[in-house]
């Protein structure tokens, strides 16, 4: 039932059908304007298109069963015209070839459909797995989605127990320039060293998150804006210059970072409003 439901909503079935129906319409127009056009050939082509569509939408087995019905009817027609009515005096290859083309085409379209279905299944599986991934692969901080879920949880706890909570945001201003100079591998080493420095100057209970390539956020539970200012000063000093090994060469790199903070206000429950206030403050940091 579920598989049939997924098939019913897949757009590739409609595209497949539209392509062949368009081809059939063009063939009909061409034959209708051509003197002495062969109508039986058009009918046979129409049956072939129908078999291809059935094989693609309903699978190879259904397509082959349909093709066998076609082979039976068309084979009976040939036998009747050869042995009974005498309508066909010479059994040519062009008559017999349809007995093989239709089943083969139906089988191949069914196999193509199975391959596309496999690709859809792999894509859906990866999408489902992504829902359960909460850790950024490089920094081992929480990823974007997990971090905001955690921020909502910490804000709720802060309101419930009347505790301070401050959000700190770190923006790497010259990330694009450094990626151009040092490449992807070098940039990864820089981000890893930044993550190590951040871990070194924050507590275990502080929640770190990788928002995007340029932005890192830190939740400081039980910390007021004044306490967060001390953390920001330490991070600013430590991130000013970092030591990294890029392609076997030791380098001292100056980072341009801007830091901002925002303390949860009394009764505030909008995580994005808190985030925006902290992000806005980064614009006033000289970096």
């Amino acid at each position: 039932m579920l598989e049939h439901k997924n098939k019913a909503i897949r757009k590739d079935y409609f595209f497949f059908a539209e392509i062949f129906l368009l081809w059939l319409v063009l063939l009909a127009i061409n034959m209708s304007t051509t003197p002495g056009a062969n109508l039986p050939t058009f009918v046979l082509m129409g049956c072939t298109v129908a078999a291809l569509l059935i094989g693609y939408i309903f699978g190879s087995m259904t397509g082959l069963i349909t093709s066998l019905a076609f082979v039976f009817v068309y084979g009976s027609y040939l036998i009747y015209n050869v042995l009974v009515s005498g309508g066909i005096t010479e059994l040519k290859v062009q008559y017999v070839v349809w007995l093989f083309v239709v089943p083969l085409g139906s089988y191949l379209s069914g196999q193509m459909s199975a391959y596309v279905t496999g690709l859809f299944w792999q894509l859906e599986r990866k999408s489902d797995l992504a829902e359960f991934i909460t850790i950024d692969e490089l920094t081992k901080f929480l990823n974007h989605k997990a971090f905001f879920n955690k921020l909502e949880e910490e804000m709720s706890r802060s309101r419930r127990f009347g505790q301070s909570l401050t959000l700190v945001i770190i923006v790497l201003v010259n990330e694009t320039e450094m990626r151009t100079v040092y490449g992807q591998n070098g940039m990864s080493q820089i981000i890893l060293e930044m993550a190590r420095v951040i871990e070194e100057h924050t507590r275990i209970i502080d929640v770190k998150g990788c928002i995007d390539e340029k932005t890192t956020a830190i939740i400081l539970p039980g910390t007021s804006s004044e306490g967060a200012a001390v953390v920001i000063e330490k991070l600013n000093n430590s991130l000013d210059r970092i030591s990294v090994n890029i392609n076997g060469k030791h380098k001292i790199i100056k980072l341009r970072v801007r830091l901002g903070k925002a303390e949860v206000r009394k009764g505030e429950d909008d995580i994005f409003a808190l985030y925006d206030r902290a992000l806005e403050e980064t614009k006033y940091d000289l970096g």
Side-chain angles (χ1 to χ4, degrees):
M1 289 291 292
L2 181 59
E3 182 181 357
H4 182 73
K5 180 181 178 182
N6 289 338
K7 283 186 174 183
I9 61 175
R10 275 177 43 183
K11 291 184 178 180
D12 58 308
Y13 293 139
F14 297 104
F15 294 143
F16 191 84
E18 287 169 0
I19 290 170
F20 277 101
L21 290 176
L22 177 62
W23 173 79
L24 202 59
V25 168
L26 293 175
L27 181 64
I29 294 173
N30 182 64
M31 293 189 70
S32 65
T33 56
T34 303
N38 193 336
L39 181 60
T41 300
F42 175 76
V43 173
L44 290 171
M45 288 183 175
C47 292
T48 304
V49 168
L52 291 172
L53 293 176
I54 291 172
Y56 191 82
I57 296 173
F58 298 102
S60 297
M61 185 60 67
T62 304
L64 285 174
I65 292 173
T66 304
S67 299
L68 288 176
F70 165 81
V71 168
F72 174 77
V73 173
Y74 182 62
S76 300
Y77 167 79
L78 290 179
I79 292 172
Y80 175 80
N81 276 275
V82 171
L83 301 179
V84 180
S85 69
I88 299 178
T89 57
E90 181 182 356
L91 197 60
K92 300 179 181 178
V93 175
Q94 65 194 54
Y95 298 145
V96 181
V97 72
W98 296 102
L99 296 172
F100 301 96
V101 168
V102 176
L104 179 61
S106 178
Y107 172 76
L108 291 177
S109 65
Q111 291 299 105
M112 183 171 70
S113 177
Y115 176 74
V116 174
T117 300
L119 294 179
F120 271 102
W121 179 81
Q122 291 179 25
L123 185 63
E124 289 175 0
R125 186 183 179 193
K126 288 181 179 179
S127 178
D128 291 340
L129 289 174
E131 291 293 320
F132 296 98
I133 297 174
T134 60
I135 303 297
D136 178 67
E137 186 177 357
L138 181 60
T139 62
K140 308 308 177 188
F141 293 166
L142 293 180
N143 62 20
H144 178 277
K145 181 178 180 180
F147 180 82
F148 281 105
N149 287 338
K150 186 65 175 176
L151 179 58
E152 186 173 26
E153 179 185 321
E154 290 294 337
M155 284 183 68
S156 176
R157 183 180 292 110
S158 171
R159 290 195 308 272
R160 189 164 58 249
F161 295 105
Q163 296 177 339
S164 301
L165 183 142
T166 302
L167 176 67
V168 172
I169 293 181
I170 306 170
V171 178
L172 181 58
V173 179
N174 58 339
E175 183 268 344
T176 304
E177 293 85 346
M178 288 194 298
R179 189 178 296 277
T180 301
V181 174
Y182 300 114
Q184 182 60 44
N185 180 61
M187 196 63 219
S188 296
Q189 297 304 313
I190 292 170
I191 292 174
L192 276 174
E193 180 59 20
M194 281 186 63
R196 188 197 67 76
V197 171
I198 291 170
E199 283 282 12
E200 183 180 334
H201 290 87
T202 52
R203 304 166 299 179
I204 295 176
I205 64 170
D206 297 334
V207 182
K208 279 75 70 174
C210 183
I211 307 304
D212 55 39
E213 294 176 337
K214 298 182 179 182
T215 312
T216 303
I218 310 169
I219 303 171
L220 303 176
T223 305
S224 65
S225 181
E226 291 76 14
V230 176
V231 176
I232 285 179
E233 185 178 359
K234 291 179 180 178
L235 289 172
N236 234 333
N237 294 333
S238 300
L239 291 173
D240 183 53
R241 282 180 172 80
I242 60 172
S243 173
V244 293
N245 192 299
I246 300 177
N247 298 326
K249 296 181 180 180
H250 183 75
K251 294 181 180 292
I252 303 296
I253 297 178
K254 179 175 176 59
L255 301 181
R256 287 184 57 211
V257 295
R258 291 182 178 177
L259 292 90
K261 66 183 187 317
E263 184 177 357
V264 175
R265 295 168 177 167
K266 186 176 181 179
E268 185 176 22
D269 60 358
D270 188 340
I271 59 174
F272 298 108
L274 178 67
Y275 180 84
D276 288 342
R277 284 198 289 115
L279 188 61
E280 181 69 21
E281 191 173 294
T282 64
K283 297 178 182 178
Y284 303 104
D285 183 16
L286 297 179

